[in-house]
Amino acid sequence: MGNILGILPGAGATIACFMGYNEARRFSKHKDEFGKGSIDGVAGSEAANNAVTGGSLIPTLTLGIPGESVTAVLMGGLIIHGLQPGPELFSTYAPMTYTFFAGFVLVQFAMLGVGLVGCRMFAQVSRLSDSILIPSIFLLCVVGSFAIHNNFVEVIIMFIFGIIGYFVRKFDLNAAAIVLGLILGPIGENGLRRSLYLSDGDPSILFSTPLCWMLILLCVLGTCSPWLMARWEKHVEARAHH
């Protein structure tokens, strides 16, 4: 899932992280453990999050369109060294490019070593008291919100969404779906505006090809999937009882 989302330009690790968590929760047999430190939720979100970078190299190196922030920095480094992402990267600069790929293989082993050696030390963060963690996270949220555009209004927006997040958790709503909507909404709106601009405002362009109908069908199935999964679980439980 992370690889596929990485291939889509602009999707990024945030979407993959929440989708990985959501799917892990959907297929888990212990849904009540999610939100309370379930290892399945951590593994699902982090696996998708980490897999994005590999997939995002495809649009970055072939089209010059970074899939997320890490590959954007990487592309900047290539350009500084006179390597323009695109077809020439695999022909004119092929020796450099394939050496680059070989380096990625070696990095995987290095990351594995660092993870195995440092995992016990990294895990100590979870032992910190809430009286230290909560003020630290709160301070980082305030500073981060203000630092993006040096605008205090964004800090107020952060507070508002914090309150909304509290009620979402209190009423046991799906926070991941809301975050995905906030992230994907502007991307979908841009695509819709671009389509209507190309068709002079005619909405029939959205239903003009078999691919459009296939995507619409997938959207409908995705929307109905919680209900279908609930029906399927009830059916499986009924058969198990019999």
Side-chain angles (χ1 to χ4, degrees), residues 33-147:
E33 295 180 4
F34 280 72
K36 301 173 184 176
S38 169
I39 193 65
D40 291 348
V42 175
S45 61
E46 285 304 307
N49 176 43
N50 293 339
V52 164
T53 304
S56 63
L57 285 171
I58 295 172
T60 302
L61 298 177
T62 56
L63 303 173
I65 304 172
E68 38 95 43
S69 58
V70 175
T71 46
V73 173
L74 183 64
M75 191 176 79
L78 290 172
I79 293 171
I80 288 170
H81 287 86
L83 301 173
Q84 183 63 43
E88 286 190 0
L89 208 59
F90 298 89
S91 55
T92 309
Y93 304 106
M96 177 74 74
T97 303
Y98 291 112
T99 304
F100 188 61
F101 289 162
F104 275 119
V105 176
L106 297 175
V107 163
Q108 300 304 316
F109 292 105
M111 286 180 64
L112 177 63
V114 170
L116 290 173
V117 171
C119 60
R120 290 183 182 275
M121 182 177 65
F122 302 149
Q124 297 305 313
V125 175
S126 64
R127 297 179 182 274
L128 288 173
S129 169
D130 287 350
S131 61
I132 297 172
L133 276 177
I134 292 173
S136 301
I137 294 168
F138 177 78
L139 180 64
L140 289 171
C141 289
V142 172
V143 172
S145 301
F146 180 78

